[in-house]
Amino acid sequence: MVVWLPGNPQTSHCSLPLPHPRNYKTSSSTREKERERKMGETVGNRISLSEEIINRAASQAMRAHNSGGRPFILDKPRGLSVAIFAFAGSWLPDDWFTHPPFGETKMDTSTFPSLRSVGNDEVAVVNASFLRRFKAILDQLSLEKEVRKVVADNKQVLFTGHSWGAAMAILATLYFLEKGGPNQNPPRCITFGSPLVGDRIFGHAVRREKWSDRFIHFVMRFDIIPRIMLCPASIEHQQILNYFNPRSEFYGKLIDPHLAFYLKVMRSAASVATHDACNLMGCTNPLLENLRNFVDLSPYRPFGTFIFCTGNGKLVVVKNPDAALQMLFYTAQLSQEEAAEIAQRSLYEHLVYDNELQESLGMQNVVYLDDSLEELPLSSDSGPAIVNTVLNDLGLSTEARLCLRAAGGLENRRLRNQAKIDDNKQKIKEELSKLRGYQEKGETLELGYYDAFKSQEEKADFDANVSRLVLAGIWDEVIEMLRRSELPDEFENREELIELGTLYRRLVEPLDIANYYRNLKNEDTGTYMTRGRPKRYRYAQRWLEHAEKKPSGWRSESCFWAEVEELCSIKTGCNNGPLQDTKKQKIQQLQKRLIEWIQDGCLGKDVVLEGSTFVKWWKTLPSEYRSEPESSMIANLIHG
Amino acid sequence: MKRRRMNQVPLFSSAGELANMLVTSNLIEAAWAKIPELQRGQSALPSSVQTMVDHPTPKCTIVVFAPSPDSTQDALSQGGDLVPYPKFDFLCTKGCPSVSINRAALTLFTPLYDHLSGLKDELNKREGQLIITGQSLGGSIASLFTLFLLSSMDKESKCRPICITFGSPLIGNFGLQHSHWNSFFLHLVSDKDPLPTLFLPSGRSAPTSSHSQATAYKPFGTYLLCSELGCACFDDPDFIFKFLTVASSEVAGGLQVVVDYGEILRNLKYRAICKGPRLVGERLTDPFSAGIVMELKTIGIDPAKHNIDIGRMEKDARDLTWKTNKASEAKKLNDRKINMVWLEWYRKKAEDVKKDYYDCFRNERFNIEAKIQWHMEDLTTYWEDMVAEAERKPQKEGASFRTGWLQAGTTYRRMVEPLDIAVFYKDGGRDYINSERSQHYKLLEQWYEEAAKPPTSEELDSKKQKVSVLLTEDSCFWAHVEEAILSCKSLTNANSTPELRESSWNNLVKFGEYVMEQIENYAVSPEIFLKDSCFMTWWGEYKVYIASPSNPCSLRFIQFIDFMKTGRYGVYGRSEVP
């Protein structure tokens, strides 16, 4: 291994990495054999990129880092079907942090519409400097032009970058993933020593959109830059950037004899990692909740596929984002004897990616942790030898291994929760079909199921109420799990769920509205839309709007009855001018949308039955509230 | 090693992670930094306890208490016994009907009471973070002050307190295990510090404290237990007590030793980022026991030597995980709504055949009563749990916990209790209210009465309009009717003694007055006047008997008889009645 430290030759010797012990102990159980076979798979195979391309990307990324003013360099290697866009780096403090402590901002959802949670409706957080600089690159237009050309050539677009350039590569990849058409080969991204870019929701959104595999991050075991965003902006921060900055007077100068910078970054990393570990482990101590008011933690979290380089030629691949965070902290922990050396390595390892990868990719000594996170050996001498060797090489203590297991455990729990919900699908369908029957029966009565339910006269109405509550129980449980991130990230992107949620919402929400207005809750609580609408419908509506890329509020057809009820409750004929004007607008709007919805088939014809609240109310409307041609169309619907 | 059952989720112990998160954040340091500062400035001032209020940032307030060394020694020499302190009775729970506080802490706290009242009001108005701290007895004052502050804080308060104590002795006999308040306390205890264990049976307690009193102490909040090797957080009072007991037998040095928590924190901070041990050995397969054993070792506890039951700790942790599962909570709530829909349906069915709900159930008119009873049982289990939960909380907090669901609880009581009464009297029971009524109904009613305000005339008016759809307010109404029927029987029975007749007569007069009062307040549902209802059956028998009332009667009783005889009840609840 070549160790390279700018301007500081005396520290180039390093005793830490162990020699390369290859351990092919055969194991008796077939499961382990299977795992060993998988372990033997080459990285290139696993991530569907050839080693040649990875190496090429690494050298381009390192080269681009000092490309002098150009935002990126484009490389179209002969014989390879890729075009590599490698982004330049920056060491200017302003390009890393706009404001203390963490320099974050809400994601610009007009440029990156997917980067938010759908049901919970929270926008992802991103480093403000990175976002600002990336938009500046976009504004120069050359990036988009070049990418279009490469796509026209049928080449795979590959964005790459080292250090700060990696952050640009990540945002570029996301930008083109968002823009990508259905038949377009989506871009890929390989980063080397990348700082963390976005928060938990950022990663969640990327996984939900199934883009996670497009991102490969190589991280050297001790490299400080991938951890730097876990630490608030500080003097130490500046020192680290200056150390790397060729234009700084402190370039390559060993920063601090007392390792203050390393301790500072690691301490913050420890806070974040242990905080998340508490959640992974299901900590029930209520103090944890109160601490959120007092402890300001970095919002940034890893996402995508992480490949840790042990420093002695081995590679450890991990996709689980919680596990990746724990690895970022635990692999770089100090051992007291080697503290000074580790602090130095944390700097120079940031600069050796191309050489290290050439070696590691040649050896193909790879361990894929995700397959076995929950069964990781806790002691340093048990379990599959090949796994234990790399865990020992990475210096993972029993504590660290417990955290990794907890990360794996959480993901498995999420999958089990999803399976449990899938088991409920049949039950949901049964109840929905009962309610469908109820709806049809309502039509034959010329009343509509909304009004029938509101009056609660018959046994059928009561049965419908029980069905409504059974379904509410199932869906509320789903929503509660989503709120607590206890379902897989892809959950809200499953077509079947969106479809079922939409069916449910259109059929059952009118019953909730009927129940709300039957019990006159609007009188003391407020309107259904502002105070009464259950989350289960809000979530289901957002799922559909997101899937159809429609703006928020577009799919509110299931709230039709709530609007009717509210309009009914505004007395006509009073002299309040402005109120009448808004009412008039609202009524005309409602009539327009009603026609659209019925034509789309997303609103049942039962709303225009003779006996329904809507028709009765509509007939009393003075002519000035009606507008043509909607009015006669509605009249046709009622009689046709 | 136990094998994990397939259906169980793996369990972890996060005691070490939480502790490391605490020491790597700056919170504890920020609190500690102020204590030596205040102690240094002490000699210049005469008063025995120094209080400092500091604002390191506009959004953060730190309150520090530091008793002078003399007054600390003074207070400690008073002894470790528990003194009843009614001012803190807001902490009472079912398990702790009266609050007692350690004498030493009270000695310092009581003279400050008025001053602290003022400070409390001032802090209550502030927004943002509030750190309250102190070392040894200073920490005890900090804890007492924090409790005092919490007792006067309302839900809307934007002030976020945390109380951090360093090496403080146990305070009192009350627990906070079932209270939200528990999350506001963090106590650092070093295994080298003799003070926290001072009042324990094995500690060097002052001569006045007796053994039985010492064991009455209950730790509350989270304890950050630390040793040279590291630290771990625990909030289980039994375990904390155990740790303190173990520590008290092993700690060396006299009471004069003042432990420097600053130094301890520096060490812990460094340790948190250093590589921990890599254990060797095949036996570590179960993550919970692997974790907890390491954590216990770190704080100097050897499970075998100190008789710690890891299996028990695991079970407790699992129960707690299960209990805090919010998603299943949502499901449960909807299931209870379904139960209620069934009962409403039953009521509707009765209404359709122009019968009252009570009578139908008592006489099993629809043959679905068994099913209804099943729904009642679900509801009762649920509400008994809710009531018990509220009772475990400190009084004051319990009250605000209840407000969220008291309305639903009241509807439940009015809907279900009459049916319980029906079953009771059908089986030949007597005197339901005094002999049979379940505690949870009594509490639900008591809390409702406490929260209810007398209705305004407008509200009474709207009640009048809606009385036909309302439930009878007094959930024991039918028990009164049943008793009246029994009294009526005694009265008409030729074999009754004169005494029995007289008491029965009096009961019936009281009953008549009671019903009239309910009618005047629109508190009974008109369904009681339906033909064949138990009430009307009673009236049928009774009206014959009182054709000519011989005894002098109250005005209200006469009104009642008149109301019934003239048939005015026939229009009760109809809106056209003036």
Side-chain angles (χ1 to χ4, degrees), chain B residues 64-88:
Chain B
V64 194
F65 295 100
S68 70
D70 286 351
S71 57
T72 301
Q73 288 308 321
D74 233 34
L76 287 176
S77 68
Q78 306 253 338
D81 54 335
L82 285 163
V83 186
Y85 194 57
K87 277 188 175 141
F88 273 45

PDB file of all heavy atoms in Angstrom, chain B residues 64-88:
ATOM      1  N   VAL B  64     -28.597  27.222  39.239  1.00  0.00           N
ATOM      2  CA  VAL B  64     -27.674  26.407  40.016  1.00  0.00           C
ATOM      3  C   VAL B  64     -27.926  26.614  41.506  1.00  0.00           C
ATOM      4  O   VAL B  64     -28.135  27.740  41.952  1.00  0.00           O
ATOM      5  CB  VAL B  64     -26.206  26.795  39.721  1.00  0.00           C
ATOM      6  CG1 VAL B  64     -25.256  25.735  40.249  1.00  0.00           C
ATOM      7  CG2 VAL B  64     -25.992  27.012  38.240  1.00  0.00           C
ATOM      8  N   PHE B  65     -27.908  25.538  42.272  1.00  0.00           N
ATOM      9  CA  PHE B  65     -28.018  25.621  43.725  1.00  0.00           C
ATOM     10  C   PHE B  65     -26.736  25.100  44.346  1.00  0.00           C
ATOM     11  O   PHE B  65     -26.274  24.015  43.995  1.00  0.00           O
ATOM     12  CB  PHE B  65     -29.190  24.783  44.227  1.00  0.00           C
ATOM     13  CG  PHE B  65     -30.519  25.284  43.753  1.00  0.00           C
ATOM     14  CD1 PHE B  65     -31.163  24.677  42.682  1.00  0.00           C
ATOM     15  CD2 PHE B  65     -31.123  26.373  44.356  1.00  0.00           C
ATOM     16  CE1 PHE B  65     -32.385  25.141  42.241  1.00  0.00           C
ATOM     17  CE2 PHE B  65     -32.354  26.848  43.913  1.00  0.00           C
ATOM     18  CZ  PHE B  65     -32.985  26.233  42.855  1.00  0.00           C
ATOM     19  N   ALA B  66     -26.167  25.878  45.256  1.00  0.00           N
ATOM     20  CA  ALA B  66     -24.963  25.414  45.940  1.00  0.00           C
ATOM     21  C   ALA B  66     -25.043  25.770  47.415  1.00  0.00           C
ATOM     22  O   ALA B  66     -24.892  26.938  47.780  1.00  0.00           O
ATOM     23  CB  ALA B  66     -23.732  26.033  45.294  1.00  0.00           C
ATOM     24  N   PRO B  67     -25.282  24.791  48.286  1.00  0.00           N
ATOM     25  CA  PRO B  67     -25.241  25.069  49.720  1.00  0.00           C
ATOM     26  C   PRO B  67     -23.785  25.221  50.159  1.00  0.00           C
ATOM     27  O   PRO B  67     -22.902  24.587  49.590  1.00  0.00           O
ATOM     28  CB  PRO B  67     -25.878  23.828  50.344  1.00  0.00           C
ATOM     29  CG  PRO B  67     -25.941  22.792  49.275  1.00  0.00           C
ATOM     30  CD  PRO B  67     -25.587  23.406  47.964  1.00  0.00           C
ATOM     31  N   SER B  68     -23.537  26.039  51.144  1.00  0.00           N
ATOM     32  CA  SER B  68     -22.168  26.201  51.623  1.00  0.00           C
ATOM     33  C   SER B  68     -21.742  24.912  52.315  1.00  0.00           C
ATOM     34  O   SER B  68     -22.591  24.150  52.797  1.00  0.00           O
ATOM     35  CB  SER B  68     -22.098  27.366  52.605  1.00  0.00           C
ATOM     36  OG  SER B  68     -22.777  26.986  53.790  1.00  0.00           O
ATOM     37  N   PRO B  69     -20.425  24.645  52.378  1.00  0.00           N
ATOM     38  CA  PRO B  69     -19.959  23.394  53.004  1.00  0.00           C
ATOM     39  C   PRO B  69     -20.484  23.245  54.432  1.00  0.00           C
ATOM     40  O   PRO B  69     -20.907  22.168  54.841  1.00  0.00           O
ATOM     41  CB  PRO B  69     -18.441  23.537  52.987  1.00  0.00           C
ATOM     42  CG  PRO B  69     -18.152  24.506  51.897  1.00  0.00           C
ATOM     43  CD  PRO B  69     -19.325  25.430  51.819  1.00  0.00           C
ATOM     44  N   ASP B  70     -20.513  24.354  55.178  1.00  0.00           N
ATOM     45  CA  ASP B  70     -20.984  24.278  56.561  1.00  0.00           C
ATOM     46  C   ASP B  70     -22.438  23.839  56.642  1.00  0.00           C
ATOM     47  O   ASP B  70     -22.801  22.951  57.409  1.00  0.00           O
ATOM     48  CB  ASP B  70     -20.847  25.647  57.249  1.00  0.00           C
ATOM     49  CG  ASP B  70     -19.398  25.947  57.564  1.00  0.00           C
ATOM     50  OD1 ASP B  70     -18.576  24.998  57.400  1.00  0.00           O
ATOM     51  OD2 ASP B  70     -19.099  27.091  57.942  1.00  0.00           O
ATOM     52  N   SER B  71     -23.263  24.499  55.809  1.00  0.00           N
ATOM     53  CA  SER B  71     -24.680  24.171  55.907  1.00  0.00           C
ATOM     54  C   SER B  71     -24.931  22.753  55.402  1.00  0.00           C
ATOM     55  O   SER B  71     -25.854  22.072  55.859  1.00  0.00           O
ATOM     56  CB  SER B  71     -25.523  25.189  55.152  1.00  0.00           C
ATOM     57  OG  SER B  71     -25.110  25.261  53.815  1.00  0.00           O
ATOM     58  N   THR B  72     -24.112  22.284  54.450  1.00  0.00           N
ATOM     59  CA  THR B  72     -24.251  20.900  53.999  1.00  0.00           C
ATOM     60  C   THR B  72     -23.982  19.948  55.157  1.00  0.00           C
ATOM     61  O   THR B  72     -24.761  19.035  55.447  1.00  0.00           O
ATOM     62  CB  THR B  72     -23.266  20.608  52.851  1.00  0.00           C
ATOM     63  OG1 THR B  72     -23.543  21.502  51.782  1.00  0.00           O
ATOM     64  CG2 THR B  72     -23.408  19.180  52.364  1.00  0.00           C
ATOM     65  N   GLN B  73     -22.873  20.189  55.846  1.00  0.00           N
ATOM     66  CA  GLN B  73     -22.525  19.312  56.967  1.00  0.00           C
ATOM     67  C   GLN B  73     -23.613  19.359  58.045  1.00  0.00           C
ATOM     68  O   GLN B  73     -24.012  18.338  58.595  1.00  0.00           O
ATOM     69  CB  GLN B  73     -21.179  19.736  57.582  1.00  0.00           C
ATOM     70  CG  GLN B  73     -19.969  19.412  56.708  1.00  0.00           C
ATOM     71  CD  GLN B  73     -19.940  17.956  56.252  1.00  0.00           C
ATOM     72  OE1 GLN B  73     -20.284  17.042  57.009  1.00  0.00           O
ATOM     73  NE2 GLN B  73     -19.538  17.729  55.010  1.00  0.00           N
ATOM     74  N   ASP B  74     -24.075  20.576  58.259  1.00  0.00           N
ATOM     75  CA  ASP B  74     -25.134  20.793  59.233  1.00  0.00           C
ATOM     76  C   ASP B  74     -26.369  19.960  58.913  1.00  0.00           C
ATOM     77  O   ASP B  74     -26.915  19.250  59.750  1.00  0.00           O
ATOM     78  CB  ASP B  74     -25.527  22.274  59.164  1.00  0.00           C
ATOM     79  CG  ASP B  74     -25.471  22.899  60.525  1.00  0.00           C
ATOM     80  OD1 ASP B  74     -24.583  22.474  61.310  1.00  0.00           O
ATOM     81  OD2 ASP B  74     -26.318  23.775  60.789  1.00  0.00           O
ATOM     82  N   ALA B  75     -26.799  20.092  57.650  1.00  0.00           N
ATOM     83  CA  ALA B  75     -28.013  19.410  57.218  1.00  0.00           C
ATOM     84  C   ALA B  75     -27.823  17.901  57.281  1.00  0.00           C
ATOM     85  O   ALA B  75     -28.706  17.164  57.722  1.00  0.00           O
ATOM     86  CB  ALA B  75     -28.373  19.845  55.800  1.00  0.00           C
ATOM     87  N   LEU B  76     -26.650  17.443  56.849  1.00  0.00           N
ATOM     88  CA  LEU B  76     -26.417  16.000  56.833  1.00  0.00           C
ATOM     89  C   LEU B  76     -26.455  15.428  58.241  1.00  0.00           C
ATOM     90  O   LEU B  76     -26.909  14.306  58.456  1.00  0.00           O
ATOM     91  CB  LEU B  76     -25.080  15.688  56.161  1.00  0.00           C
ATOM     92  CG  LEU B  76     -25.061  15.871  54.640  1.00  0.00           C
ATOM     93  CD1 LEU B  76     -23.663  15.622  54.100  1.00  0.00           C
ATOM     94  CD2 LEU B  76     -26.060  14.961  53.963  1.00  0.00           C
ATOM     95  N   SER B  77     -25.997  16.210  59.180  1.00  0.00           N
ATOM     96  CA  SER B  77     -25.956  15.699  60.551  1.00  0.00           C
ATOM     97  C   SER B  77     -27.365  15.583  61.135  1.00  0.00           C
ATOM     98  O   SER B  77     -27.581  14.917  62.134  1.00  0.00           O
ATOM     99  CB  SER B  77     -25.093  16.624  61.427  1.00  0.00           C
ATOM    100  OG  SER B  77     -25.758  17.863  61.563  1.00  0.00           O
ATOM    101  N   GLN B  78     -28.342  16.237  60.479  1.00  0.00           N
ATOM    102  CA  GLN B  78     -29.739  16.112  60.925  1.00  0.00           C
ATOM    103  C   GLN B  78     -30.270  14.706  60.697  1.00  0.00           C
ATOM    104  O   GLN B  78     -31.288  14.318  61.255  1.00  0.00           O
ATOM    105  CB  GLN B  78     -30.629  17.078  60.154  1.00  0.00           C
ATOM    106  CG  GLN B  78     -30.157  18.504  60.203  1.00  0.00           C
ATOM    107  CD  GLN B  78     -31.045  19.337  61.101  1.00  0.00           C
ATOM    108  OE1 GLN B  78     -32.179  18.992  61.346  1.00  0.00           O
ATOM    109  NE2 GLN B  78     -30.492  20.412  61.612  1.00  0.00           N
ATOM    110  N   GLY B  79     -29.650  14.007  59.781  1.00  0.00           N
ATOM    111  CA  GLY B  79     -30.053  12.628  59.580  1.00  0.00           C
ATOM    112  C   GLY B  79     -30.801  12.392  58.301  1.00  0.00           C
ATOM    113  O   GLY B  79     -31.200  13.327  57.610  1.00  0.00           O
ATOM    114  N   GLY B  80     -30.978  11.114  58.036  1.00  0.00           N
ATOM    115  CA  GLY B  80     -31.541  10.717  56.751  1.00  0.00           C
ATOM    116  C   GLY B  80     -32.963  10.228  56.850  1.00  0.00           C
ATOM    117  O   GLY B  80     -33.411   9.460  56.010  1.00  0.00           O
ATOM    118  N   ASP B  81     -33.689  10.619  57.888  1.00  0.00           N
ATOM    119  CA  ASP B  81     -35.049  10.094  57.979  1.00  0.00           C
ATOM    120  C   ASP B  81     -35.998  10.862  57.072  1.00  0.00           C
ATOM    121  O   ASP B  81     -35.696  11.949  56.589  1.00  0.00           O
ATOM    122  CB  ASP B  81     -35.546  10.094  59.424  1.00  0.00           C
ATOM    123  CG  ASP B  81     -35.416  11.459  60.051  1.00  0.00           C
ATOM    124  OD1 ASP B  81     -34.557  12.231  59.580  1.00  0.00           O
ATOM    125  OD2 ASP B  81     -36.166  11.774  60.993  1.00  0.00           O
ATOM    126  N   LEU B  82     -37.143  10.254  56.838  1.00  0.00           N
ATOM    127  CA  LEU B  82     -38.137  10.836  55.933  1.00  0.00           C
ATOM    128  C   LEU B  82     -39.173  11.606  56.740  1.00  0.00           C
ATOM    129  O   LEU B  82     -39.713  11.092  57.712  1.00  0.00           O
ATOM    130  CB  LEU B  82     -38.824   9.726  55.144  1.00  0.00           C
ATOM    131  CG  LEU B  82     -37.982   9.115  54.029  1.00  0.00           C
ATOM    132  CD1 LEU B  82     -38.561   7.788  53.590  1.00  0.00           C
ATOM    133  CD2 LEU B  82     -37.879  10.076  52.856  1.00  0.00           C
ATOM    134  N   VAL B  83     -39.446  12.837  56.319  1.00  0.00           N
ATOM    135  CA  VAL B  83     -40.401  13.675  57.025  1.00  0.00           C
ATOM    136  C   VAL B  83     -41.597  13.932  56.108  1.00  0.00           C
ATOM    137  O   VAL B  83     -41.399  14.307  54.949  1.00  0.00           O
ATOM    138  CB  VAL B  83     -39.752  15.036  57.366  1.00  0.00           C
ATOM    139  CG1 VAL B  83     -40.680  15.861  58.239  1.00  0.00           C
ATOM    140  CG2 VAL B  83     -38.410  14.827  58.022  1.00  0.00           C
ATOM    141  N   PRO B  84     -42.816  13.726  56.616  1.00  0.00           N
ATOM    142  CA  PRO B  84     -43.985  14.018  55.765  1.00  0.00           C
ATOM    143  C   PRO B  84     -43.952  15.477  55.324  1.00  0.00           C
ATOM    144  O   PRO B  84     -43.657  16.372  56.140  1.00  0.00           O
ATOM    145  CB  PRO B  84     -45.180  13.752  56.690  1.00  0.00           C
ATOM    146  CG  PRO B  84     -44.652  12.845  57.742  1.00  0.00           C
ATOM    147  CD  PRO B  84     -43.201  13.189  57.927  1.00  0.00           C
ATOM    148  N   TYR B  85     -44.231  15.723  54.058  1.00  0.00           N
ATOM    149  CA  TYR B  85     -44.166  17.078  53.539  1.00  0.00           C
ATOM    150  C   TYR B  85     -45.380  17.336  52.653  1.00  0.00           C
ATOM    151  O   TYR B  85     -45.340  17.144  51.437  1.00  0.00           O
ATOM    152  CB  TYR B  85     -42.862  17.269  52.762  1.00  0.00           C
ATOM    153  CG  TYR B  85     -42.542  18.719  52.476  1.00  0.00           C
ATOM    154  CD1 TYR B  85     -42.428  19.641  53.505  1.00  0.00           C
ATOM    155  CD2 TYR B  85     -42.344  19.155  51.172  1.00  0.00           C
ATOM    156  CE1 TYR B  85     -42.135  20.977  53.255  1.00  0.00           C
ATOM    157  CE2 TYR B  85     -42.044  20.480  50.897  1.00  0.00           C
ATOM    158  CZ  TYR B  85     -41.937  21.391  51.950  1.00  0.00           C
ATOM    159  OH  TYR B  85     -41.649  22.703  51.692  1.00  0.00           O
ATOM    160  N   PRO B  86     -46.490  17.766  53.276  1.00  0.00           N
ATOM    161  CA  PRO B  86     -47.767  17.871  52.546  1.00  0.00           C
ATOM    162  C   PRO B  86     -47.714  18.821  51.357  1.00  0.00           C
ATOM    163  O   PRO B  86     -48.490  18.680  50.425  1.00  0.00           O
ATOM    164  CB  PRO B  86     -48.744  18.392  53.599  1.00  0.00           C
ATOM    165  CG  PRO B  86     -48.069  18.186  54.912  1.00  0.00           C
ATOM    166  CD  PRO B  86     -46.607  18.169  54.682  1.00  0.00           C
ATOM    167  N   LYS B  87     -46.782  19.786  51.371  1.00  0.00           N
ATOM    168  CA  LYS B  87     -46.718  20.714  50.244  1.00  0.00           C
ATOM    169  C   LYS B  87     -46.435  19.985  48.929  1.00  0.00           C
ATOM    170  O   LYS B  87     -46.681  20.499  47.849  1.00  0.00           O
ATOM    171  CB  LYS B  87     -45.630  21.759  50.485  1.00  0.00           C
ATOM    172  CG  LYS B  87     -46.125  22.895  51.343  1.00  0.00           C
ATOM    173  CD  LYS B  87     -45.106  24.009  51.416  1.00  0.00           C
ATOM    174  CE  LYS B  87     -45.674  25.194  52.183  1.00  0.00           C
ATOM    175  NZ  LYS B  87     -44.694  25.821  53.049  1.00  0.00           N
ATOM    176  N   PHE B  88     -45.851  18.784  49.043  1.00  0.00           N
ATOM    177  CA  PHE B  88     -45.532  18.020  47.835  1.00  0.00           C
ATOM    178  C   PHE B  88     -46.521  16.881  47.595  1.00  0.00           C
ATOM    179  O   PHE B  88     -46.227  15.947  46.857  1.00  0.00           O
ATOM    180  CB  PHE B  88     -44.092  17.489  47.898  1.00  0.00           C
ATOM    181  CG  PHE B  88     -43.087  18.475  47.371  1.00  0.00           C
ATOM    182  CD1 PHE B  88     -43.154  19.815  47.738  1.00  0.00           C
ATOM    183  CD2 PHE B  88     -42.089  18.081  46.492  1.00  0.00           C
ATOM    184  CE1 PHE B  88     -42.250  20.736  47.249  1.00  0.00           C
ATOM    185  CE2 PHE B  88     -41.172  19.007  45.999  1.00  0.00           C
ATOM    186  CZ  PHE B  88     -41.250  20.344  46.379  1.00  0.00           C
TER     187      PHE B  88
END
